[in-house]
Amino acid sequence: MTDPLVIFDLLLALAIVALAVAALSVRDLYAMIVVFVIFGLLSALAWVRLSAPDVALAEAAIGTGVTGALLLKTLHHLRFASGQRSVSMTPTIPVPTGVMLANAAFCGLITLGLAVAFLGAPSAGPGFDTLVAESMPASGVDHPVTGVLLNFRAYDTLMEVVVLLAAVVAVWQIERGLSDAPAPEMGEVWQGFARLALPAIVVVGTYLLWVGAEAPGGAFQGGAVLAAVGLLLLLTRAYVPQPHHRGIARGAFVLGTGVFALVALLVAGGGRVAFEYPLDHAKTLILLIEGMVTISIAVTLAALFHGREPVALRMEDRHDT
Amino acid sequence: MLELFAATLITLGTVFFIAGTVGLLRFPDIYCRLHALTKADGLGLALVALGVALLAATPGAALRIALIWFFIAVSSATCGHLIARHARLAEGGRHD
């Protein structure tokens, strides 16, 4: 007997592929972003169907929410820079053929690597489920995904946090000062919504972080939700980044990576392997790392949305204050 | 009995979603489309949430569904307002 949900799954898979094709083929950048966001939401649904709610949460919060906001912000900037309402896919300055070929080669290599990994993986094997389940008592947490991410494979997670740090460092190197594009005027209803939503988002983000020890959730999902607080504050202009806040921001950027690496080094210093947390303190250490990483992720994503280092400009250079 | 009632509510909610989608596709301009979408989705979501909450195992889960409904309702109303406001300003119409 066929599971009726198979039909739903097939439709979902078809819709995801169709949306991916549409996102690549549509010529208007705004339409492209909208299609991309819908693509992300359906991907999150697909992860739910694959019984991976952790990945679904991350996809919905980071892959769709924050990335969509970043893309829309970029489009706002492009529209202002080009002076046109609809920005076309075709770049005004032609891309050098060498760059295009290099990009094509890298994309091809990634696809090839994925294909090799997929074909090389043992099909229908037991996977690591039993191994993880057996080791769970040693991890200090009750949720297998958190156990794997923060304990068994903590090194990979540390590298992911470093990638975010590298991204914000690069953005601050490239873009400084104040945005030329005027902030969109959103009206009073939106301000009221922000006042209502802000405290709720703080609670939801913290809840996602806390619940990560025993249920789907964790630092990346909680951090992305908390980053939404930063986005709301920046959009309502309740918070305007000031040059003298850079020290605090830099501290928040490196906090997660720093605490993560420090814990690993201290554990390693006690005659253990790095990330081999002592069992009595495993949960405390994991929560400490996750808490600090959440702060870093939230501040970093909000800073990426702001998209520039706030530096003091000479008064006559100021476009908007 | 409870399951039947919940299924009826969810089905009714889905009908509203379909009506909203048809309205989005068929109505002539952005304001009519927004009208169809926000009204239908608001009621549709409320019915689906009520149906799912009836099936929820614990009061905590039901409370979470209620919270999710509340925030989606508020944000979709705000989104509708923002889109309509933006469309009006883009038309160069009156400022409200």
Side-chain angles (χ1 to χ4, degrees):
Chain A
M1 182 189 145
T2 328
D3 192 349
L5 278 170
V6 167
I7 301 163
F8 175 78
D9 289 346
L10 276 176
L11 283 175
L12 184 63
L14 277 177
I16 290 174
V17 175
L19 281 168
V21 173
L24 288 175
S25 54
V26 76
R27 303 314 287 175
D28 180 61
L29 280 185
Y30 180 73
M32 184 184 257
I33 295 170
V34 171
V35 173
F36 176 78
V37 167
I38 303 167
F39 166 80
L41 285 175
L42 287 190
S43 305
L45 196 58
W47 285 116
V48 172
R49 289 293 304 139
L50 290 168
S51 312
D54 288 87
V55 191
L57 276 173
E59 172 67 37
I62 303 180
T64 305
V66 177
T67 313
L70 283 175
L71 290 173
L72 284 174
K73 167 100 182 191
T74 312
L75 180 66
H76 179 65
H77 195 75
L78 280 177
R79 274 181 179 167
F80 182 82
S82 68
Q84 291 166 336
R85 275 213 44 79
S86 71
V87 183
S88 151
M89 261 293 293
T90 323
T92 37
I93 307 157
V95 181
T97 323
V99 174
M100 272 159 73
L101 285 178
N103 282 342
F106 281 126
C107 289
L109 278 178
I110 290 173
T111 316
L112 201 66
L114 281 174
V116 168
F118 179 71
L119 294 174
S123 61
F128 292 106
D129 287 359
T130 20
L131 202 61
V132 170
E134 277 168 13
S135 318
M136 275 318 284
S139 73
V141 287
D142 301 323
H143 186 52
V145 175
T146 310
V148 170
L149 284 183
L150 267 299
N151 199 333
F152 308 145
R153 299 295 299 271
Y155 190 70
D156 293 359
T157 312
L158 175 62
M159 285 302 119
E160 284 168 22
V161 184
V162 172
V163 167
L164 258 186
L165 179 63
V168 80
V169 168
V171 166
W172 273 29
Q173 289 303 314
I174 293 166
E175 203 75 68
R176 286 150 192 266
L178 300 159
S179 170
D180 295 333
E185 189 58 53
M186 313 269 268
E188 296 87 20
V189 173
W190 199 77
Q191 299 275 349
F193 171 74
R195 270 199 295 277
L196 183 71
L198 266 179
I201 301 173
V202 175
V203 173
V204 171
T206 320
Y207 170 78
L208 272 176
L209 165 68
W210 177 254
V211 85
E214 61 236 24
F220 277 89
Q221 294 88 341
V225 171
L226 285 177
V229 175
L231 265 60
L232 276 176
L233 285 176
L234 287 167
L235 275 173
T236 43
R237 303 224 139 192
Y239 170 69
V240 180
Q242 301 293 331
H244 61 271
H245 292 166
R246 276 179 298 173
I248 303 168
R250 286 196 182 107
F253 294 157
V254 296
L255 186 67
T257 315
V259 170
F260 210 153
L262 197 67
V263 168
L265 286 176
L266 286 179
V267 170
R272 294 157 181 271
V273 188
F275 299 115
E276 187 194 347
Y277 313 122
L279 192 52
D280 302 343
H281 304 294
K283 177 156 188 182
T284 323
L285 286 176
I286 286 178
L287 267 180
L288 173 75
I289 293 172
E290 282 215 288
M292 297 305 129
V293 167
T294 304
I295 295 174
S296 277
I297 291 171
V299 177
T300 306
L301 290 176
L304 287 175
F305 178 76
H306 184 62
R308 52 190 66 233
E309 178 181 5
V311 291
L313 297 177
R314 291 193 308 278
M315 276 314 279
E316 59 266 32
D317 287 342
R318 290 213 167 173
H319 301 290
D320 65 21
T321 44
Chain B
M1 189 60 216
L2 189 69
E3 274 151 28
L4 197 68
F5 188 51
T8 316
L9 283 176
I10 294 173
T11 314
L12 265 176
T14 321
V15 171
F16 276 99
F17 272 107
I18 293 171
T21 313
V22 171
L24 176 72
L25 293 173
R26 301 290 300 171
F27 278 163
D29 69 351
I30 187 166
Y31 305 107
C32 295
R33 285 176 182 170
L34 271 178
H35 169 79
L37 207 57
T38 47
K39 303 297 172 299
D41 282 6
L43 200 52
L45 180 76
L47 287 170
V48 171
L50 200 61
V52 176
L54 282 178
L55 295 176
T58 58
L63 183 70
R64 273 171 222 168
I65 293 168
L67 278 176
I68 290 169
W69 165 76
F70 174 74
F71 280 106
I72 293 183
V74 170
S75 61
S76 92
T78 311
C79 281
H81 169 81
L82 276 178
I83 295 171
R85 188 175 185 278
H86 184 80
R88 249 179 98 169
L89 290 182
E91 273 172 12
R94 301 167 308 272
H95 201 298
D96 56 1

